[in-house]
Amino acid sequence: MVDVSTLYIVPTPIGNLGDITRRALSILQQVDIIAAEDTRYTGRLLSHFGIMTRTLALHDHNERQKANILVKKLMTGQNIALVSDAGTPLISDPGYHLVTRCRQVGIKVVPLPGPCALITALSASGLPSDRFSFEGFLPPRSKGRKDKFTEVAQDPRTLIFYESPHRIINTLDDMLEVLGSERMVVIARELTKTYETIHGVPLGELVEWVSEDRNRIRGEIVLLIAGYRAGEDYLPLEATNAVALLAKELPLKKAVIITAKLFNVKKNTLYKWGLENLQ
Ligand code: SAM
C-alpha cells in the first residue's frame, strides 16, 4: 500500500528493463500521478509493464513552476512518484526543486533504491570505491573542462563524470593535457545493455584505444578517473606551460630547475616531459 500525501523517488532502468524493482512497479502502479522528465519516454516504460497511471511532465525548464502544482496536489492527499528518463531522479536529472519544496512544507519523501549509472560503473571499475566524488557532466567547452580537471587534479578520491559520446574525444584530449598520460582512467559504456564495455588503462593508452575504433565510444558513457596519489608524477598545466616558455630562452635543464622550484614539482618528471614534448 502507498501512503497518502507522499512523494516517492523511483529509479528506473538505465538500459536493461529487467533492472526495475518489484517495489518500483508496485509504487508506479498505485500512485495517483507519475511526475516524469519526459512523459512519452516514460510512457513506453509504463506500457511495457502494463501500468496505466497518469503522467505529468516535470523537466528542467518547468520544474520550479510544476513543483508548486505538485506540492498542492500532495497537500490535498494525493501521492506522486517522481521518475526521470533513466536511473535515479535528481542524479544529473530533474527533481531537486520538487524534493526541496516537499521537505520545506513537511511532505513525506520516500526514496526507493535502484539503478544509477555512476554507482553501477564504480562497482565494476576496479578503482578505489571507499571514497569518490561524483562531478556530473563536464563543461561543454575545452577551457571549462581544463579548468575543471585542474581543480580536481590533486583530489585523492576516485572522480566520476557523465559524458556524452560526441564530446568524449575532445574531453580525453583535455584530460591528457592536464592530468598527463599515466593517470588510470576507466570508460564504462552502455552499462546493462548489449554492448556494455568497461575498459580501464592509463590515460595515454585509453586515447589510443579510442582512436583505433570509434565504435568504442558510442552510446552512453561514464568516465572514472583514479584519484591523485601523493608522490605521483603529476605536472600541473601551469608548470608545463612555464617550462615550455622558459625553454625558448634557456637550456632545458635551467628552465626545468626554475619551473620545478616555482611549482613545487619533481625536476626529473618535468625534465622527462620537456625531452618528450619540447626537444
Ligand atoms: N539519473 C541517471 C543516473 O542515475 O545515472 C543519469 C542521468 S544523466 C541525464 C544521463 C547520463 O548518465 C548519460 O549521459 C551517461 O553519462 C550516464 N548513463 C546513463 N545510462 C548509462 C548507461 N547505461 N551506461 C553508461 N552511462 C550511462
Side-chain angles (χ1 to χ4, degrees):
M1 271 294 287
V2 290
D3 288 340
V4 291
S5 299
T6 299
L7 175 70
Y8 293 90
I9 313 296
V10 181
T12 53
I14 56 169
N16 187 328
L17 292 184
D19 292 332
I20 193 105
T21 67
R22 277 154 68 156
R23 188 166 168 224
L25 289 176
S26 156
I27 297 285
L28 292 174
Q29 185 91 60
Q30 291 179 65
V31 288
D32 297 302
I33 301 167
I34 298 172
E37 183 182 5
D38 180 334
T39 50
R40 271 192 307 173
Y41 194 96
T42 297
R44 287 198 288 273
L45 178 83
L46 297 178
S47 74
H48 177 86
F49 288 108
I51 294 170
M52 314 286 282
T53 310
R54 183 159 74 95
T55 57
L56 197 147
L58 180 101
H59 45 72
D60 277 340
H61 306 294
N62 72 1
E63 187 179 342
R64 281 168 196 266
Q65 173 220 347
K66 281 286 165 70
N68 289 332
I69 296 171
L70 290 171
V71 165
K72 278 192 193 130
K73 289 184 187 297
L74 284 156
M75 289 176 106
T76 61
Q78 299 198 35
N79 47 42
I80 296 175
L82 172 68
V83 299
S84 60
D85 288 353
T88 302
L90 281 87
I91 306 302
S92 294
D93 268 341
Y96 168 74
H97 294 291
L98 176 61
V99 170
T100 307
R101 284 284 295 129
C102 285
R103 294 190 62 85
Q104 278 167 352
V105 298
I107 288 167
K108 193 168 162 197
V109 181
V110 173
L112 271 64
C116 180
L118 79 103
I119 298 296
T120 308
L122 177 65
S123 68
S125 68
L127 297 178
S129 52
D130 52 344
R131 293 180 69 205
F132 61 89
S133 175
F134 174 56
E135 300 288 332
F137 281 99
L138 280 156
R141 292 181 200 287
S142 178
K143 161 93 173 64
R145 282 195 296 268
K146 284 188 203 163
D147 288 349
K148 182 74 201 172
F149 292 138
T150 304
E151 179 196 319
V152 298
Q154 283 174 290
D155 192 320
R157 298 169 296 178
T158 296
L159 303 165
I160 307 175
F161 297 93
Y162 283 163
E163 187 52 301
S164 73
H166 65 271
R167 282 206 293 253
I168 186 80
I169 300 266
N170 293 338
T171 292
L172 291 178
D173 286 344
D174 292 337
M175 201 190 283
L176 189 65
E177 201 177 314
V178 179
L179 299 179
S181 59
E182 300 305 312
R183 189 73 77 101
M184 191 72 176
V185 175
V186 177
I187 190 164
R189 177 178 87 93
E190 293 289 87
L191 293 165
T192 78
K193 304 186 207 175
T194 310
Y195 295 106
E196 178 177 274
T197 314
I198 301 165
H199 189 68
V201 281
L203 183 51
E205 283 177 42
L206 186 68
V207 170
E208 278 175 32
W209 183 78
V210 162
S211 64
E212 281 164 14
D213 181 358
R214 293 293 161 103
N215 285 324
R216 290 173 172 164
I217 45 161
R218 282 169 73 153
E220 298 196 278
I221 291 170
V222 181
L223 271 178
L224 304 98
I225 306 178
Y228 172 75
R229 286 209 202 99
E232 190 177 274
D233 293 341
Y234 164 66
L235 293 174
L237 190 58
E238 291 95 330
T240 50
N241 284 345
V243 80
L245 207 63
L246 285 171
K248 286 188 181 153
E249 310 294 332
L250 298 169
L252 180 61
K253 271 195 179 159
K254 281 203 171 149
V256 165
I257 291 170
I258 297 170
T259 312
K261 271 203 184 130
L262 280 175
F263 293 94
N264 197 21
V265 295
K266 282 191 192 165
K267 267 188 294 193
N268 288 349
T269 312
L270 196 56
Y271 189 63
K272 189 166 162 260
W273 183 89
L275 287 178
E276 281 168 10
N277 294 280
L278 303 174
Q279 299 285 293

